Amino acid sequence: MIACLAPASPASAQPMAGGLPDDLTAWGMFISADWIVKSVMIGLAVASVITWTVLAAKTLELRKAAAAQRAALAAIEGARSLEAAVMAVDREALVSAALLAAAAAEVRQSADALQDGEGLKERVASRLDRIEAAAGRRMTRGTSVLATIGATAPFVGLFGTVWGIMNSFIGIAASQTTNLAVVAPGIAEALLATAMGLVAAIPAVVIYNHFARQIAAFKALVGDTSAAVLRLVSRDLSRGIVGKPDLHVAE
């Protein structure tokens, strides 16, 4: 027992030190890691790149769409009739243009039933609801991968850690030594996988929640635009105007 606790002589310590990795940086630990742990780390690095790519692309998309939607909403609210709104809205605001086109199409198709104002407004509202839902689905594209990364990356990193620590314990049994200096590098390599899993997961969760709020705000903006279009239809009906605006929006 006392002999086991005695410090090792320089002669006996030299072979152990010779087996240690020269580079204990993150890159050095990656290079010396087991191929399965390496695969886990590479996958997590790719997931992190995807997260930041989605952040850049979706931020630009949301910013452009929201700006166009606000401008279109202002134009629609300032118009006196559905036909005037069709002429005032920029066709680059695709969602607003689609809402106006749907309302105009329903007015044309109901030209012989305009006396049933409530029925017309109900049909227009049904069309607008479908366009709102489609706009919301389009805007959420690409964000589901963030939820997947945020939910799975910690467990993927944990798998790499478990595999690496298992190899370290096998190395302990093979070398028949419990010297921490010998087994610590392998354990550090394994724990690096968990760290990379957290580095990939935490930003993904934060960014996903950020986009969830931004998309909800965009959906509310589209809902306001839809309500403004429906008010124009109701206003035209009250005035007895039979508008025939023509607007074609590319799908």
Side-chain angles (χ1 to χ4, degrees):
M1 181 69 178
I2 296 175
C4 293
L5 297 176
S9 65
S12 62
Q14 188 63 35
M16 295 182 189
L20 295 178
D22 295 330
D23 186 4
L24 289 178
T25 63
W27 176 251
M29 289 188 289
F30 169 77
I31 293 299
S32 60
D34 181 83
W35 69 271
I36 292 182
V37 180
K38 278 184 182 178
S39 300
V40 168
M41 292 182 184
I42 291 172
L44 292 172
V46 171
S48 184
V49 170
I50 292 173
T51 295
W52 294 107
T53 301
V54 171
L55 172 64
K58 187 59 67 173
T59 296
L60 293 175
E61 181 185 1
L62 267 169
R63 187 173 298 173
K64 181 179 179 181
Q69 196 66 29
R70 282 191 291 267
L73 177 58
I76 292 172
E77 288 181 336
R80 288 180 54 82
S81 66
L82 183 62
E83 188 170 4
V86 170
M87 301 301 295
V89 169
D90 189 345
R91 296 194 181 189
E92 291 186 0
L94 295 181
V95 177
S96 298
L99 292 170
L100 289 168
E106 187 57 45
V107 169
R108 286 196 304 271
Q109 293 177 11
S110 302
D112 57 346
L114 294 178
Q115 67 279 3
D116 182 14
E118 291 302 320
L120 174 60
K121 287 189 285 185
E122 183 179 343
R123 291 189 294 274
V124 170
S126 175
R127 286 179 179 245
L128 300 184
D129 286 343
R130 293 299 87 212
I131 295 173
E132 284 184 56
R137 287 193 299 270
R138 283 196 300 271
M139 197 53 67
T140 56
R141 288 176 185 170
T143 60
S144 59
V145 68
L146 298 176
T148 301
I149 292 172
T152 61
F155 298 102
V156 174
L158 183 60
F159 166 74
T161 297
V162 170
W163 186 271
I165 291 177
M166 181 180 67
N167 284 339
S168 294
F169 281 120
I170 292 174
I172 291 173
S175 62
Q176 296 183 352
T177 179
T178 58
N179 193 325
L180 186 61
V182 175
V183 300
I187 296 175
E189 294 165 7
L191 293 175
L192 181 61
T194 295
M196 291 189 66
L198 295 176
V199 168
I202 293 173
V205 172
V206 173
I207 293 169
Y208 177 80
N209 291 333
H210 167 72
F211 281 140
R213 293 189 296 269
Q214 294 295 316
I215 292 172
F218 176 76
K219 289 179 179 179
L221 193 59
V222 173
D224 293 341
T225 307
S226 176
V229 172
L230 192 57
R231 284 195 298 271
L232 288 177
V233 173
S234 178
R235 191 177 300 148
D236 285 352
L237 285 172
S238 298
R239 291 172 177 167
I241 299 174
V242 182
K244 295 183 180 180
D246 188 14
L247 179 62
H248 299 283
V249 180
E251 295 294 338

